[in-house]
Amino acid sequence: MQKILASVLAVCVYLTPLTVTLIAQPSWRETEKPQAQTAAKLLEQAIKKRQQQEYQQAIPIFQQVLVMVREQKDQKLEALVLNELGFCYSALGQKQQALSFYNQALPLLRAVGDRSGEATTLNNIGRVHEDLGEQEKALSFYNQALPLYLAVEDRSGEATTLNNIGSAYWALGEQEKALSFYNQALPLYLAVGNRFGEAVTLNNIGSVYDALGEKLKALSFYNQALPLRRAVGDRSGEAATLNNIGSVYHALGEQEKALPFYNQALPLRRKVSDRSGEADTLNNIGSAYWALGEQEKALSFYNQALPLYLAVEDRSGEATTLNNIGSVYHALGEQEKALPFYNQALPLRRAVGDHSGEANTLANRGILFQNTNRPSEAITDLEKSLQINLELRRSLQQENRQNFLQQYNWSAALVDVLIDEQKYAQAFEWVNLFSTSDLADYNRLINAKVANPAAQKAINNWNQKNQQLETQRQQLQNQFSEELAQKFRQLETQVYQQATEISRQFPEVAELFETTPADIHKLKSSIPADTVVIQPVLLTNARSIPKSLAIFILTNNKVNVIKTSIKPDEFDQLLTQYLEQVEDDSDAGYAENSTKLYDVLIRPVEAEIQKLQPKQLSIIATGKLRYLPFETLRDSKTEEYLIQKYPVNYLSRISTRSLSSQKKPTNQPPKVLAFGNPVPRETQNLPGAETEVREIKKKLPGSKAYLGNKATLANFKNHVLRFSFVHLATHGCFQNANCTTLNLKNNSLLFADAQFNIADAAFLGLKGTQLLTLSACQTAKKIEDKGVGIAGVAYIFERAGAKAVMASLWAVEDDATQKLMIDFYANLQQGMTKGEALQKAKLQQIGRHPFYWSPFVLIGDAG
């Protein structure tokens, strides 16, 4: 079967910082000295050539003038010429030479008290540092220029500097800050009638929304910028904005709309002799035709782009186009032609530090190897590709991560080939690493802390350097230079070595940095005896492989996998419908879909599970399956729910931290620290929680309860170390947005004296906690394919020390919750394991709609 990956666009968004070139020029006609008149004529001639972008011809003339003005000891004029030379060298890409001239101009301007000229030069120095990828340095100079422009009331210069500060934050990935500065610059440009600056800033605001994935907003600003760029005759800017509009339509999958904009940009780029931009647009046209399935047309445009990239020495664009040409031949079934292009692209991708591109080309070549019956080489390339992806995704902002995973995640291709080669253990090692990476992403998203101050300090330092690395990577891809590439590689080595050292020095945080799979023998040894672990994995996220469902079955001495074909759209529709039905106690239609899902997710491995005779069934669910209570799946042959056959618990992944050898139940009854209804008023009142906590304390001697205004965070921290079981019948908001109806901040737990941020869970004192129960908390209602759901929350508390977490997938009425919780603790008192106790508590309500008994799930150790 033919397997191929989509190509990658070379350039989609153009960001435009502005350079202020001129300092106020004195009148030359005040003196009649012949040398002064000669210098005046030469200066006018040089400025004209600079304005015509004839920088090489302008430089010797400026240098001639420089000698003259130095002889006259005219510091202000000398600064003007130095500033002009700096601009010319910067435009030619000779950034260090540019800095030399700007740095000579700066003290002269300060000496003569020319604050306007000083501001201009500071701005231009910042612009050079931005070009070099040194955003922090750039910001330092912009921030010095800004108050000077304010002091001399130069609103146009103020606007330009605000725009440039925005562009520096954009390059640092701080989109919200960038947007703030662009929005300050825009009204200033409007006030002074600077339509050129207005157009640039509108385009830049569009680029922020583009990066944030808000394509329609981006389109609105690009469409406002376009007529202005035309009105001021900025053909280069017009071409950039046309290309940006095309890229938005491309991202929206509307290739027929994208092509006319690319086709308008192309002749403009040729008119202004922008060969690099011309190559980008040719490549983008090729990519649009690729997406339309018109491979021959795509090839034609890629072949036009390639020599242009070579001519302008744009190795990043060259590498992208070589990869894209290989992809076309691959799609056409001409594997032997495709391979040399991939082989040429790969070393170039590495040379320019384009790791996402390197991963793309490795994956393309790996799938080609798989298609041509070279599985060992396929596995090698796909594993390298995914290791790079795991490195990259650590540095991405959350808003960019989903797009990245959709474009650059070929895990399904690797797992598929490993299963086909019967390398089941190796396949599961990778699957487990992907599961862990999802949770590590969530950990970083909420900025979860660790208790060890030294480890936290090391992580903070790594985060700072990693962000610098991501900034330099973006800069390198947009504007390659050997100098920047060398700096990038040095920093990259430091960042990767630092991650390795943190993992070695602080094992408790190693999972946050893992990019290679853990050894399967270590994983299996952590599974308790009499426990079977199953993990269904949808191999549907790569269009290059047959769509299938792989279900892994693990015990402490065996790994097996069963793969069945699946229709992704039909399965997703079935799952989505069932998740809605099971949360609606008035919907009786759940029963039919329950049996259908059993047939898909359990039936293929049913015989294997029965043969192993487990006392506990542990399930690892990922993606949208994390929202599914598997215990509600019903066997149409026996008319039994899964929970009637086995105690069911869930695991976020397998690690030596997530499971422990299952201990025999002790005769010592559990003692519980219980908190209930900490804010008994208005929207936060939970009267049923008080009854629940009182009953637990009553049934379990030695337990301690805090209700109402006594249910404080301070009391929790003071007493938690005395109890193995902790019960919180309080509100929690476990989602990215605030829970406005509950007046709760996002990712927080409600106590009487505080809203506790779960990112600080490491400081709660949960070491030794066997079970943390969250009985009235709200998780994110939006079901997402890539969401972590309650598993992400459990992972946070597990890392903080809790062996297991019990929480609800949705809100349930008080009576059902109270009964289930009281029955659960009563069962524990009888010596049952946590898994058995929850199973028996659920069976007490098995005759009711699953809405009432299924949402509470046990995540982690079931012993």
Side-chain angles (χ1 to χ4, degrees), residues 219 245-246 249-250 253-262 264:
L219 196 58
I245 293 171
Y249 282 121
H250 184 103
E254 300 182 49
Q255 311 306 331
E256 298 289 359
K257 286 186 178 179
L259 281 168
F261 288 97
Y262 290 147
Q264 290 177 69

Side-chain angles (χ1 to χ4, degrees), residues 23 106 109-110 114-123 145 148:
I23 300 168
L106 192 57
L109 291 161
R110 285 172 173 161
D114 183 354
R115 290 194 293 175
S116 178
E118 181 186 351
T120 294
T121 305
L122 285 165
N123 185 82
L148 290 171

Side-chain angles (χ1 to χ4, degrees), residues 402 438 621-624 626-627 782-789:
Q402 294 301 73
D438 284 344
T622 57
K624 193 180 288 189
R626 285 194 175 105
Y627 302 88
K782 184 180 178 185
I783 295 172
E784 300 172 334
D785 290 337
K786 298 292 182 182
V788 293

Side-chain angles (χ1 to χ4, degrees), residues 647-847:
V648 175
N649 72 307
Y650 297 84
L651 303 174
S652 55
R653 81 279 186 229
I654 295 184
S655 79
T656 53
R657 294 170 59 90
S658 65
L659 281 168
S660 61
S661 297
Q662 204 161 0
K663 300 174 183 177
K664 293 182 180 179
T666 64
N667 292 325
Q668 186 176 3
K671 297 176 183 179
V672 179
L673 175 65
F675 282 63
N677 200 20
V679 184
R681 59 178 180 270
E682 297 295 332
T683 57
Q684 296 175 334
N685 190 24
L686 288 168
E690 293 191 24
T691 306
E692 179 183 318
V693 166
R694 287 193 183 98
E695 285 295 319
I696 291 170
K697 183 178 183 297
K698 180 178 172 183
K699 287 187 176 292
L700 299 175
S703 295
K704 194 168 186 65
Y706 289 95
L707 300 172
N709 60 12
K710 293 183 179 179
T712 64
L713 180 60
N715 278 333
F716 182 93
K717 289 183 176 181
N718 286 338
H719 296 283
V720 67
L721 291 175
R722 297 169 45 211
F723 296 87
S724 296
F725 290 82
V726 179
H727 186 97
L728 297 179
T730 178
H731 284 299
C733 176
F734 303 145
Q735 57 188 42
N736 295 336
N738 294 339
C739 297
T740 53
T741 57
L742 296 174
N743 195 26
L744 266 182
K745 295 177 182 177
N746 64 324
N747 296 310
S748 64
L749 267 173
L750 182 64
F751 289 90
D753 57 344
Q755 292 190 17
F756 179 77
N757 188 337
I758 64 169
D760 297 324
F763 306 112
L764 280 175
L766 295 175
K767 296 292 183 184
T769 301
Q770 291 300 312
L771 177 66
L772 172 65
T773 299
L774 306 169
S775 80
C777 297
Q778 178 176 326
T779 55
K781 293 299 294 178
K782 184 180 178 185
I783 295 172
E784 300 172 334
D785 290 337
K786 298 292 182 182
V788 293
I790 196 65
V793 178
Y795 181 70
I796 296 296
F797 286 115
E798 180 195 312
R799 292 187 58 78
K803 291 290 185 184
V805 173
M806 186 159 66
S808 177
L809 295 170
W810 59 81
V812 187
E813 65 172 23
D814 284 348
D815 289 346
T817 299
Q818 288 172 30
K819 177 168 174 49
L820 186 134
M821 289 299 166
I822 292 165
D823 288 345
F824 169 73
Y825 286 112
N827 293 335
L828 284 178
Q829 193 176 30
Q830 294 175 26
M832 296 182 192
T833 66
K834 295 190 289 284
E836 292 168 340
L838 184 58
Q839 179 198 29
K840 296 297 188 289
K842 289 186 174 185
L843 291 180
Q844 289 294 312
Q845 301 187 47
I846 200 73

Side-chain angles (χ1 to χ4, degrees), residues 49 53-62:
K49 287 191 176 295
Q53 299 182 5
E54 297 175 6
Y55 305 117
Q56 293 283 14
Q57 292 88 341
I59 285 172
I61 305 173
F62 278 130

